[in-house]
Amino acid sequence: MTEWARKIREGDARSLARAATGVENGDPQALEILRDLAPFAGHARVVGITGPPGAGKSTLVDALASHLRRQGKTLAIVAVDPSSRFTGGAILGDRIRMQQHHADPGIFIRSMATRGTTGGLARATADLAQLMDRAGKDFVLIETVGVGQDEVEIADLAQITVVVLVPGMGDDVQAIKAGILEIADIFVINKADQPGADRVERELQGMLSLAHGKMPPIIRTVATDGTGVEELVEMVGRPLPENVRKNRPQAGEAGGTACPTTEGPGRAGVAQAVPPAHLGFSPALEEAVAHPPHIDHLGIAVTALEAAVAFYQTLGLSVAHRETVATERVNVAMLPAGDARIELLEPSSPDSPISKFLDKRGPGLHHVALKVPDLAAAVERLRAAGARLLNEPRQGAGGHLYVFVHPASTGGVLLELIQESGH
Ligand SMILES: Nc1nc2c(ncn2[C@@H]2O[C@H](COP(=O)(O)OP(=O)(O)OP(=O)(O)O)[C@@H](O)[C@H]2O)c(=O)[nH]1
Ligand SMILES: [Mg+2]
């Protein structure tokens, strides 16, 4: 381990601040630090706190921080301002409010504003969260304002997302984007000292029951005097259900968008699975975890169907189905392989999409098809997460519903999602 990394592990705030700046700027030396600290990954609990402007997110984060410090926990606070809605004003405000913590080496505070694309912000935040985790912080609290896509991206790197609402939003609750509701693991109704808390809660419950039929926990707080904060601290610190959100990038590659993963505050007992309902993860996520997708088929683009079929027959597979799909101008041979299938695709005309694929990329893996129990829910979650869908769900030749997801969102391969039959 380098001297720099060692100092960070010893809790030297200045060394950590220097690494944080370096990581934000993509400085190779700082990224090297991330690699050095890789063995310590997976300790922190990463909590996203999002909600409309002025909801009291910073005040709440401040109160959470004080509470956690009293419990002897160390933490990092990352305040993300995804829009340029204020020219530094809000961030400065956060800084001043947090000043009481500034002398405390147990709290690391960093504000970040969007300079470029949304993806860039999410990435910088992810790297920073990863650094804080590896530095040994027990909690990483990420504050973002709920105005756009960013907070959905940021929520994706948090293990638990707290959505903050306030009384007096009235019909505005309706205006909260479904995507924001979707990402909530816990709802906070802050400013519960103000009239209208009952009404927001009722409206929220109404919306959630319409949308999902099931509900994440709702906690009322008064961030300015600490009411309800203890309950919130307790809830965000609970062990995570095993295998929830495990599909995020694994820590380990320096400078990657990986972030501290599943293990909660990193100690024994965390690995014990808690039923998802216990923590109240969003119902769609619980459903997805309970019934994960499975591979239906792998689509392979070939120039000569018969030669390819002959090859797979040599391996002992046989053709169960052949067809020419007129709309796609493609000859298809389906060869069952275990529970999944290999789908060989040969263009039947030069203007077939498969011809174009072959011209551009050559023969090879064309797409991966996953069967999902609830296509509509999967599509909704993908949209909320900002994935690029290529079409609205539509009916395929066999009558099944399907949708394609762009390789840019999937790790480089075209992904087909298919509705499992019986739904
Ligand atoms: N009455 C009351 N006021 C509160 C409460 N929590 C926060 N406030 C006040 O609400 C105002 C906004 O609080 P902030 O914490 O800055 O809100 P924010 O959500 O971080 O705001 P942005 O970061 O600008 O989106 C401040 O004046 C707080 O003092 C609360 O529980 N009750
Ligand atoms: Mg704020």
Side-chain angles (χ1 to χ4, degrees):
M1 215 191 314
T2 61
E3 176 71 6
W4 190 0
R6 194 181 52 73
K7 278 186 146 170
I8 289 172
R9 286 298 299 178
E10 283 169 0
D12 182 65
R14 199 178 292 256
S15 301
L16 181 57
R18 201 152 63 86
T21 305
V23 163
E24 276 183 79
N25 297 333
D27 169 5
Q29 250 190 313
L31 296 176
E32 189 61 40
I33 290 286
L34 267 183
R35 209 178 334 231
D36 258 8
L37 296 174
F40 304 103
H43 171 79
R45 170 58 53 90
V46 184
V47 182
I49 292 132
T50 190
K57 301 177 295 294
S58 298
T59 315
L60 199 59
V61 166
D62 201 15
L64 284 171
S66 299
H67 215 281
L68 287 167
R69 285 303 288 147
R70 279 201 294 279
Q71 295 181 347
K73 308 277 194 228
T74 58
L75 63 140
I77 296 169
V78 184
V80 182
D81 198 335
S83 64
S84 48
R85 61 192 177 111
F86 302 121
T87 42
I91 285 171
L92 191 62
D94 286 338
R95 283 235 169 98
I96 289 165
R97 205 169 306 113
M98 297 294 181
Q99 219 140 48
Q100 56 158 315
H101 299 303
H102 257 288
D104 179 354
I107 301 190
F108 180 92
I109 302 172
R110 185 58 63 107
S111 296
M112 303 213 302
T114 307
R115 283 171 294 238
T117 58
T118 55
L121 183 70
R123 157 118 194 204
T125 310
D127 288 345
L128 199 57
Q130 192 177 45
L131 175 67
M132 294 303 147
D133 170 51
R134 291 171 186 205
K137 299 296 183 202
D138 297 317
F139 281 82
V140 179
L141 308 181
I142 303 171
E143 177 194 337
T144 66
V145 75
V147 290
Q149 182 56 45
D150 303 75
E151 82 281 351
V152 174
E153 286 181 19
I154 305 269
D156 197 42
L157 69 89
Q159 293 161 323
I160 294 186
T161 299
V162 177
V163 171
V164 183
L165 305 175
V166 284
M169 295 177 74
D171 294 338
D172 291 352
V173 173
Q174 308 291 339
I176 296 171
K177 284 185 239 54
I180 306 261
L181 292 185
E182 194 70 22
I183 60 175
D185 299 309
I186 299 170
F187 283 101
V188 162
I189 297 179
N190 187 42
K191 305 197 187 183
D193 55 323
Q194 304 281 327
D198 287 330
R199 183 169 163 201
V200 193
E201 182 162 348
R202 267 199 316 276
E203 284 179 4
L204 179 60
Q205 276 170 342
M207 274 182 77
L208 288 170
S209 58
L210 279 182
H212 309 299
K214 243 171 110 195
M215 268 179 301
I218 302 174
I219 302 176
R220 292 194 193 189
T221 60
V222 181
T224 38
D225 71 10
T227 305
V229 170
E230 188 173 351
E231 196 187 343
L232 183 58
V233 165
E234 192 271 322
M235 207 167 272
V236 297
R238 280 185 197 172
L240 292 179
E242 208 181 15
N243 79 24
V244 164
R245 303 193 168 198
K246 228 179 221 163
N247 56 344
R248 60 190 61 230
Q250 286 299 311
E253 11 105 49
T257 53
C259 60
T261 35
T262 48
E263 265 74 50
R267 278 166 287 276
V270 174
Q272 286 155 25
V274 174
H278 186 59
L279 195 72
F281 280 93
S282 69
L285 182 57
E286 285 178 18
E287 174 66 21
V289 168
H291 304 284
H294 59 267
I295 292 181
D296 180 79
H297 65 265
L298 304 176
I300 301 175
V302 301
T303 46
L305 190 62
E306 289 321 312
V309 164
F311 168 81
Y312 286 100
Q313 283 172 337
T314 313
L315 280 172
L317 299 185
S318 49
V319 177
H321 176 73
R322 274 179 197 269
E323 132 175 60
T324 296
V325 183
T327 51
E328 301 288 332
R329 296 170 299 282
V330 62
N331 302 320
V332 180
M334 277 287 192
L335 298 91
D339 292 335
R341 293 172 295 170
I342 287 177
E343 182 185 58
L344 300 175
L345 302 160
E346 175 197 58
S348 63
S349 129
D351 63 348
S352 155
I354 297 297
S355 288
K356 294 195 186 95
F357 179 88
L358 288 170
D359 288 346
K360 223 166 113 186
R361 313 266 296 254
L365 186 64
H366 175 264
H367 67 271
V368 171
L370 291 178
K371 239 181 195 164
V372 298
D374 186 344
L375 184 67
V379 163
E380 199 180 315
R381 280 176 46 70
L382 287 176
R383 285 224 167 91
R388 223 171 118 189
L389 303 185
L390 291 175
N391 61 283
E392 290 298 316
R394 63 175 180 234
Q395 211 130 45
H400 61 275
L401 276 180
Y402 70 96
V403 73
F404 277 103
V405 188
H406 193 278
S409 302
T410 65
V413 71
L414 182 64
L415 185 68
E416 181 182 9
L417 295 180
I418 303 173
Q419 171 71 60
E420 225 163 66
S421 54
H423 277 76

